[in-house]
Amino acid sequence: MARIILTLVFSTLFYLTTAIPSPELVDRASITTLSSDTVDSYKPYAFYSSTAYCSPESIMNWDCGENCNANPHFRPNKTGGDGIRAPFWYMGYDSILNTIIISHHGAAPGEMQKSLHLESNGSNRLSSLNIAGSNFTTLFKPLFDGAPDDIRVHANISTTQLFTASDIFLEWEYAAADERPTITFVDHSSGAALSLLDAVYFALQFPYITDLSPPWTKVKFVGYGLPRVGNQAFADFVDEHITVVDDGKGFVRINNMKDPVPINPSRALGYVHPSGEIHIQASGEWDTCPGQDNPDSQCIRGAVQNDANGNKPDNYCPYDGVMMGC
Ligand SMILES: *[C@@H]1O[C@H](CO)[C@@H](O)[C@H](O)[C@H]1NC(C)=O
Ligand SMILES: *[C@@H]1O[C@H](CO)[C@@H](O)[C@H](O)[C@H]1NC(C)=O
Ligand SMILES: *[C@@H]1O[C@H](CO)[C@@H](O)[C@H](O)[C@H]1NC(C)=O
Ligand SMILES: *[C@@H]1O[C@H](CO)[C@@H](O)[C@H](O)[C@H]1NC(C)=O
């Protein structure tokens, strides 16, 4: 019943807003350093990303240790996935940020407890992104109806995302039924790649966002060490439908120092990042890097020219002192 009502609300909303063109992206000219207050404002999201590495049981009980304690007011509502073929995910409500948080466990299936060790000194994550799975595929039409036909995404990430996408969509409206807040996908590394496809899937359900749209139609994304997920058309779609939320801050990807994950899969293969990069320098300074794949040496593409030039542990920490993992 709730779904039917929701569908009616959407139909009305679309009817009222179809005449409004999509807003233009603001062209931010140069690299700027974020204030410490702005840096601090991301800290809860870093802990939520890190929480996704904890067991579903400890997340539902909200007793997962440091990660849970950092956001004590969080109300977990649902976990899913099987940890084998479908990575675990969780969702719940943050009353301070007034948003539903949705996050995926990022590691290779079956590697939940070991992921940190395997990947901080091994090559597990990069190889799964780059070799077997870097072929492009089209978006799965039944879920991504309305997306431009020229979008191509990472085949392996797409297949994995489809295992849980509809479960997550069926659950979100119950996670904070009374508050009806915004939805924020928050995630780390390959989990962030899954979350970005989820965010696009959600955004397609609410395609005509304006200042007057209700908060629950606004989909946002905060990713840490996000790899590239799709082609130019994909990056443009993210910018037009997610980055524009909150005055251009709807999509944020935070990259740490010389992490090689965000430069994979390569641009040579046709992969492009959406805008919204924040790059953490060795000095600890957080800089905004305007545009898609900014080549400046203060941004990840310029700082890490190739994998050999990168430092894998940078994928995990520190993000304003937070280390990813449970
Ligand atoms: C999830 O949210 C719904 C709607 O607010 C609520 O009825 C349900 O009890 C919540 N589940 C948990 C585990 O808190
Ligand atoms: C990676 O780290 C784990 C845990 O610290 C250790 O047992 C393993 O031997 C290391 N592997 C390599 C290849 O260094
Ligand atoms: C993704 O790639 C990994 C590593 O090559 C492989 O083990 C896994 O089966 C692939 N997953 C899917 C869903 O294709
Ligand atoms: C990826 O593309 C290559 C080259 O076109 C092809 O040989 C290979 O079979 C493809 N892999 C998958 C998993 O589709």
Side-chain angles (χ1 to χ4, degrees):
M1 187 57 180
R3 283 232 60 79
I4 296 171
I5 293 170
L6 205 58
T7 306
L8 287 174
V9 173
F10 290 160
S11 317
T12 313
L13 187 73
F14 296 164
Y15 178 71
L16 291 173
T17 57
T18 40
I20 300 170
S22 55
E24 293 296 326
L25 285 179
V26 181
D27 186 35
R28 293 173 300 165
S30 58
I31 294 168
T32 52
T33 300
L34 292 178
S35 70
S36 57
D37 282 354
T38 308
V39 171
D40 286 348
S41 72
Y42 286 105
K43 206 152 185 166
Y45 299 100
F47 280 113
Y48 284 129
S49 301
S50 192
T51 298
Y53 289 98
C54 301
S55 71
E57 296 73 24
S58 67
I59 291 174
M60 279 315 282
N61 296 329
W62 211 240
D63 63 0
C64 67
E66 186 193 5
N67 289 318
C68 289
N69 295 341
N71 289 306
H73 54 283
F74 184 73
R75 222 166 67 199
N77 193 273
K78 188 87 186 172
T79 63
D82 59 14
I84 302 166
R85 146 189 119 132
F88 290 118
W89 55 267
Y90 77 94
M91 72 167 65
Y93 176 60
D94 182 317
S95 54
I96 296 177
L97 300 170
N98 192 27
T99 193
I100 291 175
I101 295 286
I102 303 178
S103 189
H104 289 268
H105 182 271
E111 295 295 351
M112 181 155 113
Q113 305 303 337
K114 292 177 291 180
S115 61
L116 208 54
H117 299 305
L118 261 179
E119 293 172 13
S120 53
N121 64 1
S123 60
N124 179 300
R125 174 157 291 163
L126 278 181
S127 60
S128 73
L129 280 171
N130 239 357
I131 305 164
S134 65
N135 290 11
F136 276 136
T137 186
T138 53
L139 289 172
F140 181 62
K141 260 282 187 239
L143 288 195
F144 291 87
D145 195 23
D149 288 338
D150 54 351
I151 287 184
R152 296 289 178 277
V153 293
H154 189 285
N156 189 296
I157 293 170
S158 171
T159 310
T160 307
Q161 184 250 354
L162 292 174
F163 289 138
T164 54
S166 12
D167 287 351
I168 293 174
F169 191 73
L170 291 174
E171 293 297 340
W172 76 268
E173 61 175 299
Y174 302 112
D178 303 334
E179 291 84 2
R180 291 237 162 273
T182 56
I183 304 163
T184 309
F185 289 90
V186 180
D187 232 313
H188 173 239
S189 207
S190 52
L194 298 173
S195 270
L196 181 53
L197 285 180
D198 276 348
V200 166
Y201 165 45
F202 272 60
L204 278 163
Q205 318 305 313
F206 323 117
Y208 304 107
I209 298 298
T210 72
D211 288 347
L212 299 176
S213 303
W216 45 271
T217 62
K218 293 181 182 168
V219 178
K220 298 189 281 185
F221 176 92
V222 181
Y224 295 83
L226 170 75
R228 296 193 183 100
V229 174
N231 65 353
Q232 180 69 59
F234 177 79
D236 292 345
F237 189 84
V238 171
D239 278 351
E240 282 158 25
H241 294 266
I242 302 174
T243 314
V244 291
V245 170
D246 275 359
D247 295 326
K249 296 190 181 64
F251 172 92
V252 176
R253 51 186 178 94
I254 299 170
N255 296 319
N256 193 36
M257 298 192 281
K258 288 201 164 252
D259 177 6
V261 170
I263 64 154
N264 284 280
S266 70
R267 287 175 56 86
L269 291 172
Y271 284 85
V272 182
H273 267 306
S275 311
E277 176 181 359
I278 293 173
H279 188 228
I280 307 175
Q281 315 295 349
S283 65
E285 210 170 79
W286 289 37
D287 291 333
T288 59
C289 293
Q292 299 173 338
D293 267 318
N294 191 319
D296 194 283
S297 64
Q298 283 171 276
C299 306
I300 200 79
R301 182 180 159 201
V304 189
Q305 301 279 341
N306 51 55
D307 289 347
N309 203 230
N311 181 36
K312 282 175 196 156
D314 288 353
N315 185 243
Y316 285 92
C317 67
Y319 295 97
D320 193 19
V322 179
M323 174 170 180
M324 296 294 160
C326 203

